[in-house]
């Protein structure tokens, strides 16, 4: 009997031991995300990318009440802060810095470390490219920024020459990895823009290089020419068709200007858009804007039922101009937004041709190709008739809700649309940049760069200019040139800000020109 009991106890202990050995597996939650499951299909790195891409764009105070207004694409009917704010050259909001560093630079540092440790070089270079996509926009606001020394203590700024050389060097590194991995498919699950197609990302690299080269064409002609010609000679090519356009997904969100315009009533068509689009009989106007809701607002152009607000206008009450033209209702249905288009590439190549860079056709061919691509991209017809218009010029503006000449302006633009090969390069460049400005609607940072860099289009000045010694004074016949360094940096990184101010070559004020904004003739 005892023998039977011993055998039973031994068997029981063996069974308990076996159960204990498998205890962890038996008690594992099959629905829990583990480190190993995250590594499947690159989830442990890929999840970082959609939020970074989404944050390349800002929203109301970063874009709409900033360069959307400064470059005269959209205007506000709302007299924010007593009518004294960014749009009237008194700085109230300066937050794009926080978005770029908090939502792109910081997470990209983390994902690059993970991707490097896991042996995912394409993910590393993709993160580096997204960094440049964000930082080349941020430097357009401030000039010197923290890039090559990001994450170090102290956090030192790069001068603009150092920064742009770093951009070009890193684009070389990115392209080398992309070229060696053309068949790589690991990005596809996380890439709403190009579905993981490395060849398409390579076209963006080349196009971005050309954009940066043109940006530097006046301040460093030799570097600009070398980089521009490199961009145009790369076998991978540029963004040449609208199917190649770099579109950033909204990831299920509403297009932000829709909320600002239809939801809050804080943005409307600008008076400059009214002046230029109507003066040029531009069919894209109906793709950009809805008609005004009050037919009495446009007696001077009854065939074009649109009305805009002057930027820097004297505003009394928000309700006064809510019946002016809203952005197009079609934007309520969009699922992504333009970041880099084939039309822009053609306008870049048109300017490169004027500057004598190798790799181009004639400036006229690229100019007209840019207009045609823009019409196609926006779904407008009549490009051939538009390009033949050699008489129409932008119209003068009258604000019917203000008395006398308050908020009115006389257009400074005398250029027509039709190409004139007998004109000098300044006149040709004005046509190119004016059309590039129109096409850049909803993506206005580069239009703001071009306006400061070239002086084109010849935009109206602010009616109301509240600049003062707090942030710097803008003359009545000039434009805001930059944003000051952010207060958190002034307070917590003062020595680095002082050094960065030295890089500017002028005070940390809104009237100080950036490195590439040289002033003077373009040729």
């Amino acid at each position: 009997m005892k023998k039977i009991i011993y055998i039973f106890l031994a068997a029981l202990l063996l069974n308990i031991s076996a159960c204990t050995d498998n205890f962890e597996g038996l008690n594992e939650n099959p629905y829990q995300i583990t480190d190993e499951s995250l590594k499947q299909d690159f989830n442990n790195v890929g999840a970082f990318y959609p939020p970074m891409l989404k944050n390349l764009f800002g929203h109301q105070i970063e874009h709409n009440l900033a360069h959307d207004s400064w470059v005269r694409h959209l205007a506000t009917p709302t007299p924010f802060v007593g009518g004294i704010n960014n749009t009237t050259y008194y700085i109230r909001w300066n937050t794009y810095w926080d978005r770029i560093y908090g939502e792109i630079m910081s997470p990209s540092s983390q994902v690059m470390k993970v991707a490097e440790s896991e042996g995912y070089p394409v993910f590393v270079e993709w993160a580096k490219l997204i960094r440049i996509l964000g930082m080349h926009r941020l430097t357009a606001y401030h000039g010197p920024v923290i890039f090559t020394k990001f994450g170090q203590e102290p956090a030192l700024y790069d001068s603009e020459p150092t920064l742009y050389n770093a951009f070009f060097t890193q684009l070389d590194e990115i392209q080398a990895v992309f070229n060696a991995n053309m068949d790589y498919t690991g990005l596809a699950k996380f890439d709403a823009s190009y579905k993981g197609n490395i060849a398409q990302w390579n076209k963006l690299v080349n196009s971005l290089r050309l954009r940066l080269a043109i940006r530097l064409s006046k301040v460093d002609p030799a570097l600009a020419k070398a980089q521009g010609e490199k961009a145009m000679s790369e076998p991978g090519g540029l963004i040449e068709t609208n199917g190649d356009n770099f579109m950033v997904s909204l990831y299920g969100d509403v297009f932000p200007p829709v909320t600002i315009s239809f939801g809050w009533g804080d943005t409307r068509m600008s008076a400059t858009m009214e002046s230029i689009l109507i003066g040029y009989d531009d069919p894209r106007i109906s793709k950009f804007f809805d008609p005004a809701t009050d037919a009495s607002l446009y007696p001077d152009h009854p065939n074009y039922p649109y009305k805009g607000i002057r930027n820097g206008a004297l505003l009394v009450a928000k309700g006064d101009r809510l019946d002016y033209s809203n952005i197009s209702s079609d934007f309520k249905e969009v699922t992504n937004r333009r970041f880099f288009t084939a039309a822009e590439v053609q306008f870049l190549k048109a300017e490169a041709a004027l500057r004598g860079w190798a790799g181009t056709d004639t400036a006229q061919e690229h100019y007209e190709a840019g207009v045609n691509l823009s019409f196609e991209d926006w779904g407008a017809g009549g490009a051939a008739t538009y390009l033949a218009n050699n008489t129409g010029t932008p119209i003068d503006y009258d604000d019917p809700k203000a008395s006398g000449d308050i908020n009115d302006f006389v257009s400074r633009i005398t250029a027509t649309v039709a190409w004139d090969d007998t004109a000098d390069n300044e006149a040709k460049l004005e046509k190119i940049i004016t059309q590039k400005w129109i096409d850049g609607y909803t993506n206005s940072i580069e239009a703001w760069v071009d306006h400061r860099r070239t002086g084109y289009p010849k935009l109206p000045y602010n009616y109301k200019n509240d600049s003062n010694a707090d942030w710097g004074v803008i003359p009545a016949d000039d434009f805001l040139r930059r944003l000051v360094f952010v207060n958190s940096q002034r307070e917590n990184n003062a020595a680095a800000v002082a050094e960065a101010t030295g890089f500017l070559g002028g005070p940390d004020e809104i009237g100080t020109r950036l490195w590439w904004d040289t002033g003077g003739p373009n040729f």
Side-chain angles (χ1 to χ4, degrees):
M1 181 66 179
K2 287 182 179 180
K3 185 176 180 180
I4 294 173
I5 293 172
Y6 290 146
I7 293 172
F8 172 76
L9 290 173
L12 181 62
L13 288 170
L14 181 63
N15 188 50
I16 292 171
S17 175
C19 289
T20 304
D21 288 344
N22 197 37
F23 184 80
E24 184 176 349
L26 290 172
N27 287 275
E28 184 176 285
N29 182 348
Y31 302 106
Q32 182 177 351
I33 297 175
T34 65
D35 290 343
E36 286 304 313
S37 65
L38 279 174
K39 291 181 181 180
Q40 295 175 9
D41 297 327
F42 310 104
N43 289 316
N44 59 326
V45 292
F48 284 79
Y49 289 84
M52 290 193 295
L53 288 164
K54 182 179 179 180
N55 279 288
L56 290 171
F57 288 92
H59 299 309
Q60 185 177 29
I61 59 176
E62 296 135 319
H63 283 194
N64 186 251
L65 294 173
H67 50 80
D68 278 352
S69 178
W70 299 330
V71 83
R72 313 318 195 209
H73 277 178
L74 294 167
T76 183
T78 309
F80 290 103
V81 202
I84 300 172
N85 54 66
N86 285 28
T87 69
T88 67
Y89 296 164
Y90 188 87
I91 305 306
R92 302 286 188 185
W93 312 290
N94 189 4
T95 61
Y96 192 51
W97 177 284
D98 295 333
R99 181 179 295 273
I100 293 296
Y101 283 104
E103 306 300 332
I104 296 178
M105 290 299 286
S106 291
S108 66
S109 295
Q110 299 174 50
V111 74
M112 287 166 68
K113 289 177 183 177
V114 175
E116 286 169 353
S117 68
E118 296 292 338
Y120 302 154
V122 179
F123 276 95
V124 173
E125 301 308 317
W126 194 23
K128 285 169 64 175
L129 177 56
I130 294 170
R131 279 183 157 200
I132 298 173
L133 291 173
M135 293 301 294
H136 93 287
R137 290 161 78 95
L138 185 66
T139 184
Y141 285 74
H142 301 285
V145 290
I146 301 164
F147 183 64
T148 63
K149 298 178 179 64
F150 177 76
Q152 300 179 17
E153 290 294 338
L156 299 177
Y157 288 65
D158 291 313
S159 68
E160 290 175 272
T162 298
L163 179 68
Y164 282 93
N165 276 304
F167 286 162
F168 291 130
T169 297
Q170 290 193 17
L171 288 176
D172 289 340
E173 296 165 356
I174 293 162
Q175 191 157 55
V177 173
F178 283 2
N179 283 339
N181 292 274
M182 281 297 184
D183 295 328
Y184 187 73
T185 59
L187 310 186
K189 183 178 177 181
F190 315 100
D191 176 11
S193 299
Y194 289 135
K195 313 304 179 189
N197 188 321
I198 302 299
Q200 291 294 99
W201 283 103
N202 219 2
K203 291 180 181 181
L204 176 61
V205 171
N206 293 329
S207 301
L208 179 59
R209 187 189 298 276
L210 181 58
R211 176 190 277 178
L212 296 175
I214 286 290
R215 190 183 285 189
L216 305 187
S217 57
K218 288 171 64 176
V219 70
D220 193 337
L223 175 63
K225 185 174 188 289
Q227 290 294 329
E229 291 180 346
K230 176 179 173 63
M232 291 185 286
S233 66
E234 282 292 327
L238 300 159
I239 296 172
E240 299 279 9
T241 71
N242 285 319
D244 295 332
N245 289 352
F246 178 45
M247 308 293 287
V248 176
S249 176
L250 296 172
Y251 298 98
D253 288 350
V254 174
F255 183 54
V258 166
T259 300
I260 300 166
S261 191
F262 293 100
W264 302 337
D266 285 333
T267 198
R268 290 292 185 268
M269 179 188 201
S270 75
T272 307
M273 276 287 190
E274 176 190 343
S275 169
I276 292 176
L277 296 179
I278 292 174
Y280 285 159
D281 293 320
D282 196 319
R284 288 170 291 186
I285 194 169
S286 65
K287 307 300 180 179
F288 291 178
F289 301 103
D290 279 353
T293 56
D294 180 352
S296 71
L297 296 176
Y298 42 85
D300 51 333
H301 47 79
N303 293 330
Y304 282 96
Y306 300 91
K307 197 65 195 177
I309 300 171
R310 182 171 181 177
N311 299 92
L314 176 63
L315 304 171
V316 178
K318 176 176 178 175
D320 291 345
R321 293 171 180 80
L322 289 179
D323 46 6
Y324 286 38
S325 289
N326 223 320
I327 69 168
S328 171
S329 297
D330 292 344
F331 286 110
K332 294 178 180 180
E333 308 301 323
V334 301
T335 59
N336 51 31
R337 64 186 306 176
R338 294 165 175 82
F339 191 101
F340 213 132
T341 68
E344 181 186 344
V345 168
Q346 291 299 323
F347 294 131
L348 290 168
K349 292 177 82 170
E351 182 172 349
L354 290 184
R355 298 188 181 281
W357 295 2
T360 68
D361 295 321
T362 67
Q364 179 177 356
E365 287 172 308
H366 291 301
Y367 169 77
E368 292 179 349
V371 172
N372 279 308
L373 283 163
S374 179
F375 271 60
E376 176 187 277
D377 186 28
W378 286 103
T385 300
Y386 181 81
L387 283 166
N389 184 350
N390 61 2
T391 58
T393 57
I395 63 174
D396 299 337
Y397 172 78
D398 175 73
D399 185 353
K401 294 295 181 76
S403 60
D405 61 359
I406 293 175
N407 298 334
D408 299 348
F409 65 79
V410 175
S411 174
R412 300 193 300 126
I413 300 173
T414 58
T416 62
V417 173
W419 189 260
D420 178 4
D421 211 38
T422 66
D424 63 19
N425 278 351
E426 282 289 348
K428 291 174 180 177
L429 184 63
E430 181 178 3
K431 289 180 187 286
I432 293 166
I433 299 300
T434 300
Q435 289 301 318
K436 191 178 176 187
W437 176 91
I438 296 170
D439 182 68
Y441 176 59
T442 72
N443 184 26
S444 60
I445 289 182
E446 206 60 26
W448 184 38
V449 169
D450 284 334
H451 181 247
R452 289 175 287 168
R453 177 178 67 88
T454 68
Y456 303 129
K458 294 178 181 177
L459 302 174
Y461 305 112
N462 263 30
Y463 181 81
K464 191 168 184 283
N465 182 339
D466 293 310
S467 64
N468 64 25
D470 290 351
W471 305 114
V473 175
I474 304 297
D477 60 350
D478 202 357
F479 301 88
L480 182 145
R481 296 284 165 181
R482 63 181 289 270
L483 279 182
V484 298
F485 297 120
V486 297
N487 285 336
S488 60
Q489 284 287 303
R490 289 176 162 201
E491 295 164 2
N492 302 317
N493 197 16
V497 168
E499 182 181 44
T501 302
F503 294 153
L504 279 172
D508 179 19
E509 294 180 353
I510 60 175
T512 298
R513 291 177 180 268
L514 300 187
W515 180 49
W516 39 261
D517 177 12
T518 63
N522 289 293
F523 299 94

